[in-house]
Amino acid sequence: MALTSESWDTRIERAEELAGKSDATREILTFYKKLLQSQKEVEEFLRTRRGWLPSGYLAEDLPVVKECLPLILRTVEADGPAPLAEEARTLMSAASVSVDEMLLEYWYTPSDTQFFAKAFLQPYARWLAESGGHPLDRMFETTERRCPFCGGMPQVSFLQIREATSETGNRNLVCATCTISWSFRRVACAYCEEERPTKLGYFHAPEYEHVRVETCDTCKHYVKGIDLTRLGFAIPLVDEVAAAALDVWALEHGYIKIELNLVGL
Ligand SMILES: [Zn+2]
Ligand SMILES: [Zn+2]
């Protein structure tokens, strides 16, 4: 299976472009752009460390990995929303052992409300994948709706044309933990694998022609889908954040997001 993800720079550029397009989401996209920049720095720090590769056991890798946590904390303190900035300040002066616990807890039992651990471990998990490693201390059931590399939940889905002869496009999911993507059935709930078309819904808003909300009436979960066959230069992780209005719609209609994104929507 091909595991792929676009570069940090591609994501940063897309966030910057979209921030300039809408007053409603400028603030969250500007913050997300800065967060992506510091995530890029984290991965570069790990990548350029001489004589070191991640072992795949986070507990073992922590002494090195944790050295770059201030990169994320400083960004959030300077540019994040007030409650996160406050939390960043607390973490800067927190005891080393409690920071370890926070990171390990996320790694073993991920939650989309653990903002700092999620933001910080995305570049670690990605570098682990790119350097040929595997998460060895993170056990999850292997199912199609979980990331085949790390077992993470889907953050967003996207459609792309893979073969020249295909017009409809293949569906993929992007992992919330390592940001790598994998292929998934086109018509199935990414949370409970419901396949009956009568239970699955798709909702568009006129302002985002290439984004849809993919809902399931069996488990009441949803994920946003980015249609790259309509807008080839969209970046699923970033366009998902930009289409914040669709999260409001989904919430109002009683759907629960499979995984909140890094701006908390
Ligand atoms: Zn993953
Ligand atoms: Zn479902």
Side-chain angles (χ1 to χ4, degrees), residues 35-106:
L35 196 57
L36 286 165
Q37 280 167 332
S38 52
Q39 289 184 304
K40 177 189 170 187
E41 287 172 36
V42 168
E43 190 174 335
E44 275 174 359
F45 174 93
L46 299 175
R47 186 187 286 274
T48 55
R49 184 151 176 123
R50 276 168 178 264
W52 183 84
L53 282 174
S55 71
Y57 293 98
L58 182 62
E60 202 173 291
D61 295 337
L62 265 187
V64 170
V65 173
K66 233 174 37 174
E67 279 179 48
C68 44
L69 183 61
L71 290 169
I72 300 278
L73 295 181
R74 279 197 295 266
T75 296
V76 177
E77 190 197 18
D79 301 298
L84 281 181
E86 183 62 43
E87 213 181 313
R89 269 188 291 276
T90 309
L91 280 169
M92 281 173 183
S93 53
S96 174
V97 54
S98 61
V99 173
D100 289 4
E101 276 170 16
M102 171 195 74
L103 295 171
L104 290 168
E105 187 195 325
Y106 174 82

Coordinates of all heavy atoms in Angstrom, one line a residue, residues 35-106:
L35 N 1.2 27.1 13.1 CA 1.3 25.8 13.7 C 2.0 24.9 12.7 O 2.9 24.1 13.1 CB -0.1 25.3 14.0 CG -0.2 24.2 15.0 CD1 0.5 24.5 16.3 CD2 -1.7 23.8 15.2
L36 N 1.6 24.9 11.4 CA 2.2 24.0 10.4 C 3.7 24.4 10.3 O 4.5 23.5 10.1 CB 1.5 24.2 9.1 CG 0.1 23.6 8.9 CD1 -0.6 24.2 7.7 CD2 0.2 22.1 8.8
Q37 N 4.0 25.7 10.4 CA 5.5 26.1 10.3 C 6.3 25.5 11.4 O 7.4 25.0 11.3 CB 5.6 27.6 10.3 CG 5.3 28.2 8.9 CD 5.1 29.7 8.9 OE1 4.7 30.3 9.9 NE2 5.4 30.3 7.8
S38 N 5.7 25.5 12.6 CA 6.4 24.9 13.7 C 6.5 23.4 13.7 O 7.4 22.8 14.1 CB 6.0 25.5 15.1 OG 4.6 25.3 15.2
Q39 N 5.4 22.8 13.1 CA 5.5 21.3 12.9 C 6.6 21.0 11.9 O 7.3 20.0 12.1 CB 4.1 20.8 12.4 CG 3.0 20.9 13.5 CD 1.7 20.3 13.0 OE1 1.2 20.7 12.0 NE2 1.2 19.3 13.7
K40 N 6.7 21.8 10.9 CA 7.8 21.6 10.0 C 9.1 21.6 10.6 O 10.0 20.8 10.4 CB 7.7 22.6 8.8 CG 8.8 22.5 7.8 CD 8.8 23.7 6.8 CE 10.1 23.6 6.0 NZ 10.2 24.8 5.2
E41 N 9.3 22.6 11.5 CA 10.6 22.8 12.2 C 10.8 21.6 13.1 O 12.0 21.1 13.3 CB 10.5 24.0 13.1 CG 10.7 25.3 12.3 CD 10.5 26.6 13.1 OE1 10.9 26.6 14.3 OE2 9.9 27.5 12.6
V42 N 9.8 21.0 13.7 CA 9.9 19.9 14.6 C 10.4 18.7 13.7 O 11.4 18.0 14.1 CB 8.6 19.5 15.3 CG1 8.7 18.1 15.9 CG2 8.2 20.5 16.3
E43 N 9.8 18.5 12.6 CA 10.3 17.3 11.8 C 11.7 17.6 11.3 O 12.5 16.6 11.2 CB 9.3 17.1 10.6 CG 9.7 15.7 9.9 CD 8.8 15.2 8.8 OE1 7.6 15.5 8.8 OE2 9.3 14.4 8.0
E44 N 12.0 18.8 10.9 CA 13.4 19.1 10.5 C 14.4 18.9 11.6 O 15.5 18.4 11.3 CB 13.5 20.5 10.0 CG 13.1 20.6 8.5 CD 13.0 22.0 8.0 OE1 13.3 23.0 8.7 OE2 12.6 22.2 6.8
F45 N 14.1 19.2 12.8 CA 14.9 19.0 13.9 C 15.2 17.5 14.1 O 16.4 17.1 14.2 CB 14.3 19.5 15.2 CG 15.0 19.2 16.5 CD1 15.9 20.1 17.0 CD2 14.8 18.0 17.1 CE1 16.6 19.8 18.2 CE2 15.5 17.7 18.3 CZ 16.4 18.6 18.8
L46 N 14.2 16.7 14.0 CA 14.3 15.2 14.1 C 15.1 14.6 12.9 O 16.0 13.8 13.1 CB 13.0 14.6 14.2 CG 12.1 15.0 15.5 CD1 10.8 14.3 15.4 CD2 12.8 14.6 16.8
R47 N 14.8 15.1 11.8 CA 15.4 14.6 10.5 C 16.9 14.9 10.4 O 17.6 14.1 9.9 CB 14.7 15.3 9.3 CG 15.0 14.8 8.0 CD 14.3 15.7 6.9 NE 12.9 15.5 6.8 CZ 12.4 14.6 6.1 NH1 13.1 13.8 5.3 NH2 11.0 14.5 6.0
T48 N 17.3 16.0 10.9 CA 18.7 16.4 10.8 C 19.5 16.1 12.0 O 20.7 16.4 12.1 CB 18.8 18.0 10.5 OG1 18.1 18.6 11.6 CG2 18.1 18.4 9.2
R49 N 19.0 15.4 12.9 CA 19.7 15.0 14.1 C 20.7 13.9 13.7 O 20.3 12.8 13.3 CB 18.8 14.5 15.2 CG 19.5 14.2 16.4 CD 18.7 14.4 17.6 NE 19.4 14.0 18.8 CZ 19.7 14.8 19.8 NH1 19.2 16.0 19.8 NH2 20.4 14.3 20.8
R50 N 22.0 14.1 13.9 CA 23.0 13.2 13.4 C 23.0 11.9 14.3 O 22.9 11.9 15.5 CB 24.4 13.8 13.6 CG 24.8 14.6 12.4 CD 26.0 15.4 12.7 NE 26.4 16.2 11.6 CZ 27.3 15.8 10.7 NH1 28.0 14.6 10.9 NH2 27.6 16.5 9.6
G51 N 23.1 10.8 13.6 CA 23.2 9.5 14.2 C 22.0 9.1 15.0 O 22.1 8.3 16.0
W52 N 20.8 9.6 14.7 CA 19.6 9.3 15.4 C 18.4 9.0 14.5 O 18.2 9.8 13.6 CB 19.2 10.4 16.4 CG 18.0 10.1 17.2 CD1 18.0 9.4 18.4 CD2 16.6 10.4 17.0 NE1 16.7 9.2 18.9 CE2 15.9 9.9 18.0 CE3 16.0 11.1 16.0 CZ2 14.5 10.0 18.1 CZ3 14.6 11.2 16.0 CH2 13.8 10.7 17.1
L53 N 17.8 7.9 14.7 CA 16.5 7.6 14.0 C 15.5 7.2 15.1 O 15.9 6.6 16.1 CB 16.7 6.5 13.0 CG 17.4 6.8 11.7 CD1 17.6 5.5 10.9 CD2 16.6 7.8 10.9
P54 N 14.2 7.6 14.9 CA 13.3 7.2 15.9 C 13.2 5.6 16.0 O 13.2 4.9 15.0 CB 11.9 7.7 15.4 CG 12.2 8.1 13.9 CD 13.6 8.3 13.8
S55 N 13.1 5.1 17.2 CA 13.0 3.7 17.4 C 11.6 3.1 17.2 O 11.5 1.9 16.9 CB 13.5 3.4 18.9 OG 12.4 3.7 19.8
G56 N 10.6 4.0 17.3 CA 9.3 3.4 17.2 C 8.6 3.2 18.6 O 7.4 3.0 18.7
Y57 N 9.5 3.2 19.6 CA 9.0 3.2 21.0 C 9.0 4.7 21.5 O 10.1 5.2 21.7 CB 9.8 2.3 21.9 CG 9.8 0.9 21.5 CD1 10.8 0.3 20.7 CD2 8.8 0.1 22.0 CE1 10.8 -1.0 20.4 CE2 8.8 -1.3 21.7 CZ 9.8 -1.8 20.9 OH 9.7 -3.2 20.6
L58 N 7.9 5.3 21.6 CA 7.9 6.7 22.0 C 8.6 6.9 23.3 O 9.3 7.9 23.5 CB 6.5 7.3 22.0 CG 6.4 8.8 22.3 CD1 7.1 9.6 21.3 CD2 5.0 9.3 22.5
A59 N 8.4 6.0 24.3 CA 9.0 6.2 25.6 C 10.5 6.3 25.5 O 11.2 7.1 26.1 CB 8.6 5.0 26.5
E60 N 11.1 5.5 24.5 CA 12.5 5.5 24.3 C 13.0 6.8 23.5 O 14.0 7.3 23.7 CB 12.8 4.3 23.5 CG 14.3 3.8 23.6 CD 14.4 2.4 22.8 OE1 13.8 1.4 23.3 OE2 15.0 2.4 21.8
D61 N 12.1 7.2 22.6 CA 12.5 8.4 21.8 C 12.2 9.7 22.5 O 12.7 10.7 22.0 CB 11.6 8.3 20.5 CG 12.0 7.1 19.6 OD1 13.1 6.6 19.8 OD2 11.1 6.7 18.8
L62 N 11.5 9.7 23.5 CA 11.1 11.0 24.2 C 12.2 12.0 24.5 O 12.0 13.2 24.3 CB 10.2 10.7 25.4 CG 8.7 10.7 25.2 CD1 8.0 10.6 26.6 CD2 8.2 12.0 24.5
P63 N 13.3 11.5 25.1 CA 14.4 12.4 25.5 C 14.8 13.3 24.3 O 15.0 14.5 24.5 CB 15.5 11.5 26.0 CG 14.8 10.3 26.4 CD 13.6 10.1 25.5
V64 N 14.9 12.7 23.1 CA 15.2 13.5 21.9 C 14.0 14.3 21.4 O 14.1 15.5 21.2 CB 15.7 12.6 20.8 CG1 15.9 13.4 19.5 CG2 17.1 12.0 21.2
V65 N 12.9 13.7 21.3 CA 11.7 14.3 20.7 C 11.3 15.5 21.5 O 10.9 16.5 20.9 CB 10.6 13.2 20.6 CG1 9.3 13.9 20.2 CG2 11.0 12.1 19.6
K66 N 11.4 15.4 22.8 CA 10.9 16.4 23.7 C 11.7 17.7 23.6 O 11.2 18.8 23.9 CB 10.9 15.9 25.1 CG 9.6 16.1 25.8 CD 9.5 15.5 27.2 CE 10.8 15.6 27.9 NZ 10.7 15.2 29.3
E67 N 12.9 17.6 23.1 CA 13.7 18.8 23.0 C 13.1 19.9 22.1 O 13.3 21.0 22.2 CB 15.1 18.5 22.4 CG 16.1 17.9 23.4 CD 17.4 17.6 22.7 OE1 17.9 18.4 21.9 OE2 17.9 16.4 22.9
C68 N 12.3 19.4 21.1 CA 11.7 20.4 20.2 C 10.2 20.8 20.6 O 9.6 21.5 19.8 CB 11.8 20.0 18.7 SG 11.4 18.3 18.4
L69 N 9.7 20.3 21.7 CA 8.4 20.7 22.1 C 8.3 22.2 22.3 O 7.2 22.8 21.9 CB 8.0 20.0 23.4 CG 6.6 20.3 24.0 CD1 5.5 19.8 23.0 CD2 6.4 19.5 25.3
P70 N 9.3 22.9 22.8 CA 9.2 24.4 22.9 C 8.9 25.1 21.5 O 8.2 26.2 21.5 CB 10.6 24.9 23.4 CG 11.1 23.7 24.1 CD 10.6 22.5 23.4
L71 N 9.2 24.5 20.4 CA 8.9 25.1 19.1 C 7.4 25.2 19.0 O 6.9 26.2 18.5 CB 9.4 24.2 18.0 CG 10.9 24.1 17.8 CD1 11.3 23.0 16.8 CD2 11.5 25.4 17.3
I72 N 6.7 24.2 19.4 CA 5.2 24.2 19.3 C 4.6 25.2 20.4 O 3.8 26.0 20.1 CB 4.6 22.8 19.5 CG1 5.1 21.8 18.4 CG2 3.1 22.9 19.5 CD1 4.4 21.9 17.1
L73 N 5.2 25.0 21.6 CA 4.6 25.8 22.7 C 4.8 27.3 22.5 O 3.8 28.1 22.7 CB 5.3 25.4 24.0 CG 5.1 24.0 24.5 CD1 5.8 23.7 25.8 CD2 3.6 23.7 24.7
R74 N 5.9 27.7 22.0 CA 6.2 29.2 21.7 C 5.2 29.7 20.7 O 4.7 30.8 20.8 CB 7.6 29.4 21.3 CG 8.6 29.4 22.5 CD 9.9 30.1 22.1 NE 10.6 29.3 21.1 CZ 11.6 28.4 21.4 NH1 11.9 28.2 22.6 NH2 12.2 27.8 20.4
T75 N 4.9 28.9 19.6 CA 4.0 29.4 18.6 C 2.6 29.5 19.2 O 1.9 30.5 18.9 CB 4.0 28.3 17.4 OG1 5.3 28.3 16.9 CG2 3.0 28.7 16.4
V76 N 2.2 28.5 19.9 CA 0.8 28.6 20.5 C 0.7 29.7 21.5 O -0.3 30.4 21.5 CB 0.4 27.2 21.1 CG1 -1.0 27.3 21.7 CG2 0.5 26.2 20.0
E77 N 1.7 29.9 22.3 CA 1.7 31.0 23.2 C 1.6 32.4 22.5 O 0.8 33.2 22.9 CB 3.0 31.0 24.1 CG 2.8 32.0 25.3 CD 4.2 32.3 25.9 OE1 5.2 32.1 25.3 OE2 4.1 32.8 27.1
A78 N 2.3 32.5 21.4 CA 2.3 33.8 20.7 C 1.1 34.0 19.8 O 0.5 35.1 19.7 CB 3.6 33.9 19.9
D79 N 0.6 32.9 19.2 CA -0.4 33.1 18.1 C -1.7 32.3 18.4 O -2.6 32.4 17.6 CB 0.2 32.7 16.8 CG 1.4 33.5 16.4 OD1 1.2 34.7 16.3 OD2 2.5 32.9 16.3
G80 N -1.8 31.5 19.4 CA -2.9 30.7 19.6 C -4.1 31.4 20.3 O -3.9 32.5 20.8
P81 N -5.3 30.8 20.2 CA -6.4 31.4 21.0 C -6.1 31.4 22.5 O -5.3 30.5 23.0 CB -7.6 30.5 20.7 CG -7.0 29.3 20.0 CD -5.6 29.6 19.5
A82 N -6.7 32.3 23.2 CA -6.3 32.5 24.6 C -6.2 31.3 25.5 O -5.2 31.1 26.2 CB -7.3 33.6 25.2
P83 N -7.2 30.4 25.5 CA -7.1 29.2 26.4 C -5.9 28.3 26.0 O -5.3 27.8 26.9 CB -8.4 28.4 26.1 CG -9.3 29.4 25.4 CD -8.5 30.4 24.7
L84 N -5.6 28.2 24.7 CA -4.5 27.3 24.3 C -3.2 28.0 24.7 O -2.2 27.4 25.1 CB -4.5 27.1 22.8 CG -5.4 26.0 22.3 CD1 -5.3 25.8 20.8 CD2 -5.2 24.6 23.0
A85 N -3.1 29.4 24.6 CA -1.9 30.1 24.9 C -1.6 30.0 26.4 O -0.4 29.8 26.8 CB -2.1 31.6 24.5
E86 N -2.7 30.0 27.2 CA -2.5 29.8 28.6 C -2.0 28.4 29.0 O -1.0 28.3 29.8 CB -3.9 30.0 29.2 CG -4.0 30.0 30.8 CD -3.1 31.1 31.4 OE1 -3.2 32.2 30.9 OE2 -2.4 30.7 32.4
E87 N -2.5 27.4 28.3 CA -2.1 26.1 28.5 C -0.6 25.9 28.1 O 0.1 25.2 28.7 CB -3.0 25.1 27.7 CG -3.2 23.8 28.3 CD -4.1 22.9 27.5 OE1 -5.1 23.3 27.0 OE2 -3.7 21.7 27.3
A88 N -0.2 26.6 27.0 CA 1.2 26.5 26.5 C 2.1 27.1 27.6 O 3.1 26.5 27.9 CB 1.3 27.3 25.2
R89 N 1.7 28.2 28.2 CA 2.5 28.7 29.3 C 2.7 27.8 30.5 O 3.8 27.6 31.0 CB 1.9 30.1 29.8 CG 2.4 31.3 29.0 CD 2.0 32.6 29.6 NE 0.6 32.8 29.5 CZ 0.0 33.3 28.4 NH1 0.7 33.7 27.4 NH2 -1.3 33.4 28.3
T90 N 1.6 27.1 30.8 CA 1.6 26.1 31.9 C 2.6 25.0 31.5 O 3.4 24.6 32.4 CB 0.2 25.6 32.1 OG1 -0.7 26.7 32.3 CG2 0.1 24.7 33.4
L91 N 2.5 24.5 30.3 CA 3.3 23.4 29.9 C 4.8 23.8 29.9 O 5.7 22.9 30.1 CB 2.9 22.9 28.5 CG 1.7 21.9 28.5 CD1 1.2 21.7 27.1 CD2 2.0 20.6 29.2
M92 N 5.1 25.0 29.6 CA 6.5 25.5 29.5 C 7.2 25.3 30.9 O 8.4 25.0 30.9 CB 6.6 26.9 29.1 CG 6.4 27.1 27.6 SD 6.3 28.9 27.2 CE 6.1 28.8 25.4
S93 N 6.4 25.5 31.9 CA 7.0 25.4 33.2 C 6.6 24.1 33.9 O 6.9 23.9 35.1 CB 6.6 26.6 34.1 OG 5.2 26.7 34.1
A94 N 5.9 23.2 33.2 CA 5.5 21.9 33.8 C 6.7 21.0 34.1 O 7.7 21.1 33.4 CB 4.5 21.2 32.9
A95 N 6.5 20.1 35.0 CA 7.6 19.1 35.3 C 7.7 18.2 34.1 O 6.8 17.8 33.5 CB 7.2 18.3 36.6
S96 N 9.0 17.8 33.9 CA 9.3 17.0 32.7 C 8.5 15.7 32.7 O 8.0 15.3 31.7 CB 10.8 16.7 32.8 OG 11.1 15.8 31.8
V97 N 8.3 15.1 33.9 CA 7.6 13.8 34.0 C 6.1 14.0 33.6 O 5.5 13.1 33.0 CB 7.8 13.2 35.4 CG1 7.4 14.1 36.5 CG2 7.0 11.9 35.5
S98 N 5.5 15.1 33.9 CA 4.1 15.3 33.5 C 3.9 15.5 32.0 O 2.9 15.1 31.4 CB 3.4 16.3 34.4 OG 4.0 17.6 34.2
V99 N 4.9 16.2 31.4 CA 4.9 16.3 30.0 C 5.1 14.9 29.3 O 4.3 14.6 28.4 CB 6.0 17.3 29.5 CG1 6.1 17.3 28.0 CG2 5.8 18.7 30.1
D100 N 6.0 14.1 29.8 CA 6.1 12.8 29.3 C 4.8 12.0 29.4 O 4.4 11.3 28.4 CB 7.2 12.0 30.1 CG 8.6 12.5 29.9 OD1 8.7 13.4 29.2 OD2 9.5 11.8 30.4
E101 N 4.2 12.1 30.5 CA 2.9 11.4 30.7 C 1.8 11.8 29.7 O 1.1 11.0 29.1 CB 2.3 11.6 32.1 CG 2.9 10.7 33.1 CD 2.6 11.1 34.6 OE1 1.6 11.9 34.7 OE2 3.2 10.6 35.5
M102 N 1.8 13.2 29.5 CA 0.8 13.7 28.5 C 1.0 13.1 27.1 O 0.1 12.7 26.4 CB 0.9 15.2 28.5 CG 0.1 15.9 27.4 SD 0.5 17.6 27.1 CE 2.1 17.4 26.2
L103 N 2.3 13.1 26.7 CA 2.6 12.6 25.4 C 2.4 11.1 25.2 O 1.9 10.7 24.2 CB 4.1 13.0 25.0 CG 4.4 14.5 24.9 CD1 5.9 14.8 24.8 CD2 3.6 15.2 23.8
L104 N 2.8 10.4 26.2 CA 2.6 8.9 26.2 C 1.1 8.6 26.2 O 0.7 7.7 25.5 CB 3.4 8.2 27.3 CG 4.9 8.3 27.1 CD1 5.6 7.8 28.4 CD2 5.3 7.4 25.9
E105 N 0.4 9.3 27.0 CA -1.1 9.0 27.1 C -1.7 9.2 25.7 O -2.5 8.4 25.3 CB -1.7 9.9 28.1 CG -3.2 9.6 28.4 CD -3.9 10.7 29.1 OE1 -3.3 11.4 29.9 OE2 -5.1 10.9 28.8
Y106 N -1.4 10.3 25.0 CA -1.9 10.5 23.7 C -1.5 9.4 22.8 O -2.3 8.9 22.0 CB -1.5 11.9 23.1 CG -1.9 12.0 21.7 CD1 -3.2 12.5 21.4 CD2 -1.1 11.7 20.6 CE1 -3.7 12.6 20.1 CE2 -1.5 11.8 19.3 CZ -2.8 12.3 19.1 OH -3.3 12.4 17.8

